[in-house]
Each structure stands twice: as structure tokens, then as C-alpha cells.
Amino acid sequence: MLNGAIYLQGMLVGASLIIPIGAQNAFVLERGIRRNHAMLVAGLCFLGDMILIALGVGGAGKIIAESLILQLLLTLGGAVFLLRYGWLSLQRAWQATAQSLAEKGLMSRMQAISMTLAVTLLNPHVYLDTVMIQGAVAGQYPRPQQLSFALGSITASLLWFFGLALLASWLAPQLQRLRVQQCIDALVGSIMWLIALGLLRHGVSLV
């Protein structure tokens, strides 16, 4: 039976972890502004979150916490990917013309899918937020009530990703000017690099 108070706490914890800007949010926002597979990207981000939250509530966070090698692989792999993606965004902003932005900013369906999976699965912050932190919070409750917490957290993810994609798509006409697009690419690239540098520092601390 659904416990309303625990469901609400799951929503609040999930929202507090997912709303701060990160690689996933930046990518969803970018696809929404370009109106390029925005709903597909939002759906995949939500699906990834749902699976990882379920794994966290199921106890998978302990496996990651106890495996130094797995933590290093996730951290370094994520840093390399984010540095590469950030460089492409910064390069696009620096060399931008109206035509180049229109051409380079668009992705095919398969490119959008692969990039979404990458910013989700190669981002250690996702595992920290969904698997480890939410798994730890859910572990405070008796087993039958953990489902209520997980459903609340999953609801927050659903509302956030689709809401962000829809809002970005709605604002797209006002945000598609050349200078605005350059600023967006520069912001996305900077965010990716800042996250990557944080991951590298974390990787060094693990050794």
C-alpha cells in the first residue's frame, strides 16, 4: 500500500538531487532548445533514472561503494567523455556561424540515443545520486515502504525531465539567435568541463 508521506519524501529527495544543473540536464536543455529529439532524450533520461533508482533501493549502492576499481572506472570514463563533449561545445561556440550552428547542432536519432546513454551511464554523479544516496535514504524504511519512496523519486524524475524538455522547446524561438546559441554552447561546454574536473579530482582522491 502506498504511503503518502514517504512518497512525498521520495519526490523531495529526488527533486533536490536532480534539479541542480549537470550533464544530463544540460543535454536535455540543449536538445530542447534545438527542438531536436527533445522528448526522446527526456524519455531516455527518465528511463535511466527509473532503473538506477530501482537498483539503489534494491541495494546496489553497496556494490559500488565497496568496489574501488568500479568507482575509478566510472569516474575516469565519465571525465574523459565530458571533456570531449565539452570541447566540442566550446569549439562550436567559438567558430559559430548561423549555418554551422544549424548543421552541427542537430543530431540523428541514433546519435541522440547514444549521447543520452553516454551522459547517463558515463556520469558517476548519476550513480551517486540515484543508486547510492537514494538507496541509503530508502534503506531507513521497512522494506514494504521503500516502494513508496522509490515511486516518489521516480515521479520527480518524470516531471523534471519532460518539463525541462517542454519548457526549452517552448522557449526555442526566443533562444535560437546566433549570439544566444553561442552562449548556450559555451555554457554547456563549461559545465561539462567543470564536472569533468571535479570527477578527476575525485578520481585522484580515490587512489
Side-chain angles (χ1 to χ4, degrees):
M1 182 177 179
L2 188 68
N3 184 304
I6 296 177
Y7 174 85
L8 180 60
Q9 185 175 11
M11 284 192 67
L12 293 174
V13 171
S16 68
L17 293 171
I18 198 173
I19 289 176
I21 192 69
Q24 273 186 312
N25 289 339
F27 187 63
V28 173
L29 184 64
E30 182 190 25
R31 291 301 97 196
I33 291 172
R34 297 187 190 283
R35 291 183 170 177
N36 181 226
H37 305 299
M39 292 299 104
L40 172 63
V41 170
L44 288 173
C45 286
F46 164 66
L47 181 61
D49 256 21
M50 182 174 66
I51 293 172
L52 292 173
I53 290 168
L55 289 174
V57 174
K62 295 178 181 179
I63 298 175
I64 297 177
E66 294 172 357
S67 174
L68 178 60
I69 293 177
L70 183 56
Q71 291 182 56
L72 281 172
L73 288 175
L74 288 172
T75 300
L76 297 180
V80 170
F81 166 76
L82 292 174
L83 286 171
R84 171 63 176 166
Y85 187 79
W87 168 251
L88 293 176
S89 293
L90 293 171
Q91 187 179 47
R92 190 163 59 235
W94 180 259
Q95 300 174 348
T97 64
Q99 181 178 359
S100 70
L101 279 173
E103 292 174 351
K104 294 181 181 179
L106 298 180
M107 293 182 176
S108 68
R109 182 181 296 272
M110 288 307 300
Q111 286 176 324
I113 291 173
S114 62
M115 284 298 297
T116 306
L117 293 176
V119 296
T120 299
L121 301 178
L122 293 179
N123 181 6
H125 287 172
V126 174
Y127 295 94
L128 176 64
D129 292 346
T130 58
V131 179
M132 300 181 71
I133 295 179
Q134 295 192 54
V137 176
Q140 302 176 65
Y141 301 111
R143 195 66 183 172
Q145 296 179 358
Q146 291 178 11
L147 177 60
S148 297
F149 181 90
L151 289 175
S153 183
I154 288 169
T155 300
S157 177
L158 174 69
L159 295 175
W160 173 254
F161 282 124
F162 282 101
L164 182 62
L166 287 170
L167 179 63
S169 297
W170 180 60
L171 293 175
Q174 288 75 42
L175 299 175
Q176 287 182 346
R177 295 189 298 274
L178 175 60
R179 185 62 62 187
V180 175
Q181 288 290 304
Q182 285 180 294
C183 290
I184 291 170
D185 278 328
L187 177 62
V188 170
S190 299
I191 289 171
M192 298 299 184
W193 274 21
L194 286 172
I195 296 172
L197 292 175
L199 292 178
L200 289 174
R201 285 197 297 269
H202 178 64
V204 170
S205 71
L206 291 175
V207 178

